[in-house]
Amino acid sequence: MAWAVVLVVGLVAGLGGPVLLRERASARYPVTAGDLAAGRAALAALVVVEPSASATYEREQFGAAWADVDRNGCDTRNDVLRRDLAPATLDVDGCTVLTGVLADPYTGERIAFARGEDSALVQIDHVVALADAWARGAAGWDLREREQFANDPANLLAVDGQANQDKGASAASDWLPPDPGFACVYALRQVRVKAAYALTVTADERAALDSALGTCATT
């Protein structure tokens, strides 16, 4: 009988290990029960439309990159770097971020940023990628609406450059952050943005977002 007890314990430990690790990781990014409930409701309300052929996406269709849409005198890239790096040091112009440290949400790593030849170590990610937005409804917007979307801080994060490149234009069905603890927050942000802009999802994407919300740790 002793071997049977050991076997059962081993199986439970083996099956529970990955779940426990995910729970511990998610606990580093807790969300409120209210935010999670709102996210689930918003996800349920998103219109599901399967992929179809559409006009080719071009970055220029969303206006000039990092336009100063909020008229604060600084371009959007530097606005986001200043928000997400701590501490961020600025040039004499009061806008250009020269140095800072990023606590990268996608990988869980800390990345030192210095403006110059290694600036690409930190990049600005569109949480809902522009190409994905184009295919999911933005193709029908006018240029002003697309430019506003491309520069909306609610859809922008400073992240590890390689993780951003790996993601590319992927939807949640094809890519989630390497750090599983951030999957919940990432999914909530995607859902909020898609709901705010009335963008659609595919069935696979909706399932992936729902699964990611299932990893949330609530406060």
Side-chain angles (χ1 to χ4, degrees), residues 13-56:
L15 293 174
V19 174
L20 181 59
L21 290 175
R22 285 197 299 272
E23 289 177 348
R24 287 176 176 172
S26 297
R28 291 184 284 112
Y29 300 98
V31 300
T32 68
D35 283 344
L36 178 56
R40 288 192 179 283
L43 176 60
L46 293 179
V47 175
V48 176
V49 177
E50 292 311 304
S52 61
S54 61
T56 303

Short mmCIF file of all heavy atoms in Angstrom, two decimals, residues 13-56:
data_model
loop_
_atom_site.label_atom_id
_atom_site.label_comp_id
_atom_site.label_asym_id
_atom_site.label_seq_id
_atom_site.Cartn_x
_atom_site.Cartn_y
_atom_site.Cartn_z
N ALA A 13 1.32 15.93 -7.13
CA ALA A 13 2.37 16.95 -7.18
C ALA A 13 2.72 17.28 -8.62
O ALA A 13 2.90 18.44 -9.00
CB ALA A 13 3.60 16.46 -6.44
N GLY A 14 2.81 16.23 -9.46
CA GLY A 14 3.16 16.47 -10.85
C GLY A 14 2.11 17.25 -11.60
O GLY A 14 2.41 18.14 -12.39
N LEU A 15 0.84 16.96 -11.34
CA LEU A 15 -0.24 17.65 -12.04
C LEU A 15 -0.46 19.04 -11.47
O LEU A 15 -0.83 19.96 -12.18
CB LEU A 15 -1.54 16.83 -11.91
CG LEU A 15 -1.55 15.49 -12.65
CD1 LEU A 15 -2.82 14.72 -12.32
CD2 LEU A 15 -1.42 15.69 -14.14
N GLY A 16 -0.23 19.18 -10.17
CA GLY A 16 -0.50 20.47 -9.54
C GLY A 16 0.62 21.46 -9.69
O GLY A 16 0.41 22.66 -9.54
N GLY A 17 1.84 20.97 -9.98
CA GLY A 17 2.99 21.86 -10.06
C GLY A 17 2.81 23.04 -11.00
O GLY A 17 2.94 24.20 -10.58
N PRO A 18 2.52 22.79 -12.30
CA PRO A 18 2.36 23.91 -13.22
C PRO A 18 1.25 24.88 -12.82
O PRO A 18 1.38 26.09 -12.99
CB PRO A 18 2.03 23.21 -14.56
CG PRO A 18 2.60 21.84 -14.41
CD PRO A 18 2.41 21.50 -12.96
N VAL A 19 0.15 24.34 -12.29
CA VAL A 19 -0.95 25.20 -11.85
C VAL A 19 -0.50 26.09 -10.70
O VAL A 19 -0.78 27.29 -10.67
CB VAL A 19 -2.17 24.36 -11.43
CG1 VAL A 19 -3.26 25.25 -10.84
CG2 VAL A 19 -2.70 23.57 -12.62
N LEU A 20 0.21 25.48 -9.74
CA LEU A 20 0.69 26.24 -8.59
C LEU A 20 1.66 27.33 -9.03
O LEU A 20 1.59 28.47 -8.54
CB LEU A 20 1.38 25.30 -7.60
CG LEU A 20 1.93 25.94 -6.31
CD1 LEU A 20 0.79 26.61 -5.54
CD2 LEU A 20 2.61 24.89 -5.46
N LEU A 21 2.53 27.01 -9.97
CA LEU A 21 3.47 28.01 -10.47
C LEU A 21 2.74 29.16 -11.14
O LEU A 21 3.11 30.32 -10.98
CB LEU A 21 4.46 27.37 -11.44
CG LEU A 21 5.47 26.40 -10.82
CD1 LEU A 21 6.31 25.74 -11.92
CD2 LEU A 21 6.37 27.13 -9.83
N ARG A 22 1.70 28.85 -11.93
CA ARG A 22 0.93 29.90 -12.58
C ARG A 22 0.23 30.78 -11.55
O ARG A 22 0.15 31.99 -11.69
CB ARG A 22 -0.10 29.29 -13.55
CG ARG A 22 0.51 28.76 -14.84
CD ARG A 22 -0.58 28.56 -15.89
NE ARG A 22 -1.57 27.60 -15.47
CZ ARG A 22 -1.48 26.29 -15.68
NH1 ARG A 22 -0.42 25.79 -16.29
NH2 ARG A 22 -2.44 25.48 -15.28
N GLU A 23 -0.31 30.14 -10.51
CA GLU A 23 -1.01 30.89 -9.47
C GLU A 23 -0.05 31.83 -8.75
O GLU A 23 -0.38 32.98 -8.46
CB GLU A 23 -1.67 29.94 -8.48
CG GLU A 23 -2.88 29.20 -9.06
CD GLU A 23 -3.47 28.20 -8.07
OE1 GLU A 23 -2.81 27.92 -7.05
OE2 GLU A 23 -4.58 27.71 -8.35
N ARG A 24 1.14 31.33 -8.46
CA ARG A 24 2.14 32.18 -7.79
C ARG A 24 2.54 33.35 -8.69
O ARG A 24 2.72 34.47 -8.23
CB ARG A 24 3.36 31.35 -7.42
CG ARG A 24 3.13 30.40 -6.25
CD ARG A 24 4.35 29.54 -6.01
NE ARG A 24 4.18 28.69 -4.83
CZ ARG A 24 5.02 27.73 -4.48
NH1 ARG A 24 6.09 27.48 -5.24
NH2 ARG A 24 4.80 27.01 -3.40
N ALA A 25 2.71 33.04 -9.98
CA ALA A 25 3.08 34.10 -10.92
C ALA A 25 1.99 35.15 -11.03
O ALA A 25 2.25 36.36 -11.01
CB ALA A 25 3.38 33.49 -12.30
N SER A 26 0.73 34.72 -11.13
CA SER A 26 -0.39 35.64 -11.26
C SER A 26 -0.55 36.51 -10.03
O SER A 26 -1.03 37.65 -10.12
CB SER A 26 -1.68 34.87 -11.52
OG SER A 26 -1.62 34.17 -12.74
N ALA A 27 -0.16 35.98 -8.88
CA ALA A 27 -0.30 36.74 -7.63
C ALA A 27 0.55 38.00 -7.64
O ALA A 27 0.31 38.93 -6.85
CB ALA A 27 0.05 35.86 -6.44
N ARG A 28 1.55 38.06 -8.54
CA ARG A 28 2.37 39.27 -8.64
C ARG A 28 1.64 40.39 -9.37
O ARG A 28 2.07 41.54 -9.33
CB ARG A 28 3.68 38.95 -9.37
CG ARG A 28 4.61 38.05 -8.56
CD ARG A 28 5.94 37.84 -9.25
NE ARG A 28 5.83 36.90 -10.37
CZ ARG A 28 5.96 37.23 -11.64
NH1 ARG A 28 6.17 38.49 -11.98
NH2 ARG A 28 5.87 36.31 -12.59
N TYR A 29 0.55 40.06 -10.05
CA TYR A 29 -0.23 41.06 -10.78
C TYR A 29 -1.71 40.89 -10.44
O TYR A 29 -2.52 40.55 -11.30
CB TYR A 29 -0.03 40.89 -12.29
CG TYR A 29 1.40 41.04 -12.75
CD1 TYR A 29 2.20 39.92 -12.98
CD2 TYR A 29 1.95 42.30 -12.96
CE1 TYR A 29 3.51 40.05 -13.42
CE2 TYR A 29 3.26 42.44 -13.39
CZ TYR A 29 4.04 41.32 -13.62
OH TYR A 29 5.34 41.47 -14.05
N PRO A 30 -2.08 41.13 -9.19
CA PRO A 30 -3.48 40.93 -8.80
C PRO A 30 -4.40 41.98 -9.42
O PRO A 30 -3.97 43.10 -9.72
CB PRO A 30 -3.45 41.06 -7.27
CG PRO A 30 -2.30 41.98 -7.01
CD PRO A 30 -1.26 41.61 -8.05
N VAL A 31 -5.63 41.59 -9.64
CA VAL A 31 -6.66 42.52 -10.13
C VAL A 31 -7.83 42.46 -9.15
O VAL A 31 -7.97 41.51 -8.39
CB VAL A 31 -7.13 42.14 -11.55
CG1 VAL A 31 -5.96 42.19 -12.53
CG2 VAL A 31 -7.77 40.76 -11.56
N THR A 32 -8.67 43.48 -9.19
CA THR A 32 -9.83 43.45 -8.31
C THR A 32 -10.90 42.52 -8.88
O THR A 32 -10.96 42.29 -10.09
CB THR A 32 -10.43 44.85 -8.13
OG1 THR A 32 -11.02 45.28 -9.38
CG2 THR A 32 -9.37 45.86 -7.69
N ALA A 33 -11.71 42.01 -7.99
CA ALA A 33 -12.81 41.14 -8.43
C ALA A 33 -13.74 41.90 -9.36
O ALA A 33 -14.28 41.33 -10.32
CB ALA A 33 -13.58 40.61 -7.22
N GLY A 34 -13.92 43.19 -9.09
CA GLY A 34 -14.78 44.01 -9.95
C GLY A 34 -14.22 44.15 -11.35
O GLY A 34 -14.96 44.07 -12.34
N ASP A 35 -12.89 44.37 -11.45
CA ASP A 35 -12.26 44.50 -12.77
C ASP A 35 -12.36 43.19 -13.55
O ASP A 35 -12.60 43.18 -14.76
CB ASP A 35 -10.79 44.89 -12.62
CG ASP A 35 -10.60 46.36 -12.29
OD1 ASP A 35 -11.56 47.13 -12.48
OD2 ASP A 35 -9.50 46.73 -11.85
N LEU A 36 -12.19 42.08 -12.85
CA LEU A 36 -12.28 40.78 -13.51
C LEU A 36 -13.70 40.52 -14.00
O LEU A 36 -13.90 40.08 -15.14
CB LEU A 36 -11.84 39.67 -12.57
CG LEU A 36 -11.93 38.24 -13.12
CD1 LEU A 36 -11.15 38.09 -14.42
CD2 LEU A 36 -11.44 37.23 -12.09
N ALA A 37 -14.69 40.84 -13.17
CA ALA A 37 -16.08 40.65 -13.58
C ALA A 37 -16.42 41.53 -14.77
O ALA A 37 -17.09 41.09 -15.72
CB ALA A 37 -17.02 40.96 -12.41
N ALA A 38 -15.94 42.78 -14.75
CA ALA A 38 -16.19 43.68 -15.87
C ALA A 38 -15.51 43.17 -17.13
O ALA A 38 -16.06 43.26 -18.24
CB ALA A 38 -15.69 45.08 -15.53
N GLY A 39 -14.30 42.62 -16.97
CA GLY A 39 -13.58 42.08 -18.12
C GLY A 39 -14.29 40.89 -18.73
O GLY A 39 -14.39 40.76 -19.95
N ARG A 40 -14.80 40.02 -17.88
CA ARG A 40 -15.53 38.85 -18.39
C ARG A 40 -16.80 39.27 -19.11
O ARG A 40 -17.16 38.72 -20.16
CB ARG A 40 -15.87 37.90 -17.24
CG ARG A 40 -14.66 37.15 -16.69
CD ARG A 40 -15.11 36.03 -15.77
NE ARG A 40 -14.00 35.27 -15.23
CZ ARG A 40 -13.30 34.35 -15.89
NH1 ARG A 40 -13.62 34.09 -17.16
NH2 ARG A 40 -12.32 33.69 -15.32
N ALA A 41 -17.49 40.28 -18.57
CA ALA A 41 -18.71 40.77 -19.21
C ALA A 41 -18.39 41.40 -20.56
O ALA A 41 -19.10 41.20 -21.55
CB ALA A 41 -19.41 41.76 -18.30
N ALA A 42 -17.30 42.18 -20.60
CA ALA A 42 -16.90 42.83 -21.86
C ALA A 42 -16.49 41.79 -22.89
O ALA A 42 -16.83 41.91 -24.08
CB ALA A 42 -15.75 43.80 -21.60
N LEU A 43 -15.79 40.74 -22.45
CA LEU A 43 -15.39 39.68 -23.38
C LEU A 43 -16.62 38.98 -23.95
O LEU A 43 -16.69 38.70 -25.16
CB LEU A 43 -14.48 38.68 -22.67
CG LEU A 43 -14.05 37.45 -23.49
CD1 LEU A 43 -13.29 37.87 -24.74
CD2 LEU A 43 -13.21 36.51 -22.63
N ALA A 44 -17.59 38.70 -23.10
CA ALA A 44 -18.80 38.02 -23.56
C ALA A 44 -19.56 38.85 -24.57
O ALA A 44 -20.27 38.30 -25.43
CB ALA A 44 -19.69 37.70 -22.36
N ALA A 45 -19.42 40.18 -24.49
CA ALA A 45 -20.16 41.07 -25.39
C ALA A 45 -19.45 41.31 -26.72
O ALA A 45 -20.06 41.85 -27.66
CB ALA A 45 -20.41 42.40 -24.69
N LEU A 46 -18.16 40.93 -26.83
CA LEU A 46 -17.45 41.15 -28.08
C LEU A 46 -18.04 40.29 -29.20
O LEU A 46 -18.38 39.13 -28.99
CB LEU A 46 -15.96 40.81 -27.92
CG LEU A 46 -15.14 41.72 -27.00
CD1 LEU A 46 -13.69 41.24 -26.94
CD2 LEU A 46 -15.19 43.17 -27.46
N VAL A 47 -18.16 40.88 -30.36
CA VAL A 47 -18.72 40.17 -31.51
C VAL A 47 -17.67 39.22 -32.08
O VAL A 47 -16.50 39.60 -32.28
CB VAL A 47 -19.17 41.17 -32.59
CG1 VAL A 47 -19.64 40.43 -33.85
CG2 VAL A 47 -20.26 42.07 -32.04
N VAL A 48 -18.06 37.99 -32.31
CA VAL A 48 -17.16 36.98 -32.86
C VAL A 48 -17.34 36.92 -34.37
O VAL A 48 -18.45 36.70 -34.87
CB VAL A 48 -17.42 35.58 -32.26
CG1 VAL A 48 -16.54 34.53 -32.92
CG2 VAL A 48 -17.20 35.61 -30.75
N VAL A 49 -16.26 37.16 -35.10
CA VAL A 49 -16.27 37.12 -36.56
C VAL A 49 -15.05 36.34 -37.00
O VAL A 49 -13.92 36.65 -36.58
CB VAL A 49 -16.25 38.53 -37.17
CG1 VAL A 49 -16.19 38.44 -38.69
CG2 VAL A 49 -17.45 39.34 -36.72
N GLU A 50 -15.23 35.35 -37.81
CA GLU A 50 -14.10 34.54 -38.27
C GLU A 50 -13.28 35.31 -39.31
O GLU A 50 -13.79 36.20 -39.99
CB GLU A 50 -14.60 33.22 -38.83
CG GLU A 50 -15.19 32.32 -37.76
CD GLU A 50 -14.29 32.19 -36.54
OE1 GLU A 50 -13.10 31.80 -36.70
OE2 GLU A 50 -14.74 32.51 -35.43
N PRO A 51 -11.99 34.98 -39.43
CA PRO A 51 -11.11 35.70 -40.35
C PRO A 51 -11.63 35.66 -41.78
O PRO A 51 -12.23 34.68 -42.22
CB PRO A 51 -9.78 34.94 -40.24
CG PRO A 51 -9.85 34.23 -38.93
CD PRO A 51 -11.30 33.89 -38.72
N SER A 52 -11.41 36.74 -42.49
CA SER A 52 -11.78 36.80 -43.90
C SER A 52 -10.78 37.67 -44.63
O SER A 52 -10.03 38.43 -44.01
CB SER A 52 -13.20 37.38 -44.07
OG SER A 52 -13.26 38.70 -43.55
N ALA A 53 -10.76 37.58 -45.92
CA ALA A 53 -9.85 38.39 -46.72
C ALA A 53 -10.19 39.86 -46.55
O ALA A 53 -11.35 40.25 -46.55
CB ALA A 53 -9.94 37.98 -48.18
N SER A 54 -9.17 40.68 -46.35
CA SER A 54 -9.40 42.11 -46.20
C SER A 54 -8.28 42.86 -46.91
O SER A 54 -7.28 42.28 -47.32
CB SER A 54 -9.43 42.50 -44.72
OG SER A 54 -8.20 42.20 -44.10
N ALA A 55 -8.47 44.17 -47.03
CA ALA A 55 -7.45 44.99 -47.67
C ALA A 55 -6.14 44.89 -46.89
O ALA A 55 -6.13 44.71 -45.68
CB ALA A 55 -7.92 46.45 -47.72
N THR A 56 -5.02 44.99 -47.60
CA THR A 56 -3.71 44.84 -46.99
C THR A 56 -3.45 45.96 -45.99
O THR A 56 -3.69 47.13 -46.26
CB THR A 56 -2.61 44.87 -48.07
OG1 THR A 56 -2.87 43.84 -49.02
CG2 THR A 56 -1.25 44.65 -47.45
#
